[in-house]
Amino acid sequence: MKILNILWVLLFIVSCSQKENHPYTFYYWKTNLKLDQEEKKVLDQATVPYVYTRFFDIDKAGGKFQPVAVITKDQSFQTDKQIVPTVFITNQTLLGISQEEVRFLAESIHHLIQKKAEEYHLNINNEIQIDCDWTAGTRDDYFKFLKELKRISGKKITCTLRLHQVKDKKQTGIPPVDKVYLMCYSTSSPLDKSDKNSILDVSILKSYLSKLEDYPIKKIEVALPIYSWGIITNHLGKHKLINALSKKDLNNPNFKKISDHEAEVLKDGFYFGSYLNKGFKIKVEEISEEQLTDVILFLQKKIQQFNIIYYQLDSKFVLDRKF
């Protein structure tokens, strides 16, 4: 009997440390909607029947709201997935906004989504997702906007949730939605001088989400990063990003490897579409399967049953990755 009890305990420990199979899909974040063969294949295999598709951004310029980088569509963008329109709104758009402007913004966003869906014959579902890094100073107006968009559109409104908005929920408030999408990336700025991976440092993420189980909204989907980039540092210590670099890009006779993910440029020239001088440093940040597994195991202890939305669908990021 004692042996049987020990076996039960061991079985419980093992089951608690195993990664569950979570339904998954992708964010699509390019301005021109098109799919190559690899992207189409990976999207078709995704187990959630939706693809979260960025339609446009909203910013404020000269006191006026402006849609930025509105989508266009290529014939290659064919999918059986239902499309969830996603709109990014800058925090500055909401600063000092009036009640009339809140209503105007909600109406304008709804109409532009409908227009683009009809123009490109997109099979959109009954959800609109808003992505905004709102703060304590903009929270009230942002929450009013979410309610107004729901009233005007008649659709289910959801929103993204950043790590600091979980940790500082008393200051940033709880959005008036039934479901949020927890963005498990951007744990620090890539422009800071740091040894940490700015896309995802699991220890930072765990500290921000230590009390996630107390978050009032219980329907939480999880956005995980699969993207990568290179951080270029010049002689003055200034940084810039080059998208989609990986460690194998550092295998160049004109580079001197400093570590497995860092190199120094030995010869002036064009690399990855940018002119880099001798002495410039390149640091590649990408996400390993081990990091993603670590995050998923942690979140399984905090929230019940979640889907995963990988950011983002691009053949550069999905190739050779197991989902």
Side-chain angles (χ1 to χ4, degrees):
M1 193 67 182
K2 197 177 270 187
I3 292 170
L4 197 61
N5 286 339
I6 291 167
L7 285 172
W8 274 114
V9 170
L10 287 172
L11 190 65
F12 177 76
I13 290 167
V14 169
S15 66
C16 285
S17 63
Q18 282 184 336
K19 188 173 80 165
E20 297 167 11
N21 279 327
H22 295 274
Y24 72 92
T25 186
F26 298 91
Y27 276 106
Y28 187 92
W29 215 261
K30 297 175 193 170
T31 302
N32 183 25
L33 305 186
K34 60 180 179 180
L35 292 171
D36 64 24
Q37 286 304 109
E38 185 63 30
E39 291 159 355
K40 188 169 186 341
K41 177 183 154 194
V42 169
L43 183 57
D44 286 345
Q45 290 170 347
T47 51
V48 169
Y50 311 120
V51 57
Y52 293 81
T53 307
R54 178 204 153 278
F55 270 46
F56 49 86
D57 300 344
I58 296 288
D59 202 0
K60 204 181 221 175
K64 292 186 177 179
F65 303 120
Q66 301 284 347
V68 180
V70 181
I71 52 165
T72 57
K73 181 175 171 286
D74 184 88
Q75 287 182 343
S76 66
F77 192 83
Q78 302 291 334
T79 178
D80 293 331
K81 304 288 186 196
Q82 280 195 309
I83 287 166
V84 179
T86 304
V87 176
F88 173 73
I89 302 178
T90 65
N91 191 50
Q92 72 163 8
T93 298
L94 302 164
L95 288 170
I97 193 171
S98 68
Q99 187 60 45
E100 291 76 22
E101 287 174 322
V102 165
R103 189 175 301 112
F104 172 77
L105 187 61
E107 285 173 352
S108 302
I109 286 173
H110 171 58
H111 289 148
L112 188 51
I113 288 171
Q114 292 299 116
K115 181 183 173 188
K116 289 297 152 188
E118 288 166 18
E119 184 180 346
Y120 296 131
H121 309 290
L122 298 173
N123 179 24
I124 61 174
N125 76 338
N126 195 43
E127 178 181 353
I128 297 172
Q129 185 182 130
I130 302 297
D131 177 19
C132 179
D133 190 6
W134 84 87
T135 58
T138 56
R139 66 178 234 183
D140 292 343
D141 291 320
Y142 177 55
F143 295 170
K144 283 177 195 168
F145 159 77
L146 292 174
K147 288 177 182 174
E148 193 66 17
L149 182 60
K150 181 176 183 175
R151 186 188 71 78
I152 286 165
S153 68
K155 290 182 177 283
K156 179 182 172 184
I157 305 302
T158 61
C159 71
T160 56
L161 181 67
R162 283 164 171 76
L163 301 178
H164 73 89
Q165 292 161 346
V166 176
K167 186 182 176 210
D168 304 325
K169 63 180 184 288
K170 284 186 179 173
Q171 288 80 27
T172 54
I174 310 301
V177 296
D178 296 326
K179 181 161 71 172
V180 289
Y181 292 75
L182 179 63
M183 298 172 69
C184 294
Y185 44 91
S186 297
T187 47
S188 58
S189 168
L191 305 182
D192 290 341
K193 187 173 172 55
S194 171
D195 295 332
K196 296 185 183 297
N197 186 323
S198 67
I199 296 174
L200 174 59
D201 183 281
V202 179
S203 61
I204 292 175
L205 176 132
K206 287 179 179 179
S207 72
Y208 271 84
L209 300 181
S210 62
K211 297 282 173 44
L212 177 61
E213 64 271 24
D214 297 337
Y215 198 75
I217 298 171
K218 296 306 175 188
K219 281 189 187 173
I220 300 177
E221 310 288 28
V222 173
L224 290 179
I226 53 171
Y227 64 96
S228 64
W229 55 33
I231 303 170
I232 312 300
T233 306
N234 68 12
H235 301 114
L236 300 173
K238 293 194 173 175
H239 308 293
K240 79 168 184 174
L241 294 178
I242 295 180
N243 191 38
L245 291 198
S246 65
K247 289 174 188 174
K248 64 177 181 285
D249 290 314
L250 300 181
N251 297 326
N252 186 312
N254 293 332
F255 297 164
K256 179 178 79 177
K257 292 285 279 288
I258 301 168
S259 69
D260 72 322
H261 62 280
E262 291 173 295
E264 182 179 330
V265 179
L266 297 176
K267 184 181 176 184
D268 294 357
F270 277 97
Y271 305 98
F272 325 116
S274 293
Y275 192 82
L276 305 181
N277 292 109
K278 180 182 175 182
F280 279 24
K281 302 280 198 318
I282 306 168
K283 176 189 175 188
V284 168
E285 293 186 335
E286 51 189 352
I287 303 303
S288 68
E289 294 300 327
E290 290 74 24
Q291 283 173 293
L292 295 179
T293 298
D294 196 353
V295 171
I296 291 167
L297 288 173
F298 170 76
L299 291 174
Q300 283 173 182
K301 297 170 190 166
K302 298 286 183 181
I303 50 180
Q304 288 186 337
Q305 294 179 330
F306 55 86
N307 292 346
I308 293 171
I309 302 94
Y310 289 105
Y311 183 86
Q312 60 166 314
L313 182 61
D314 187 311
S315 54
K316 293 174 190 145
F317 304 139
V318 299
L319 208 59
D320 302 325
R321 210 178 256 282
K322 294 185 182 75
F323 294 106

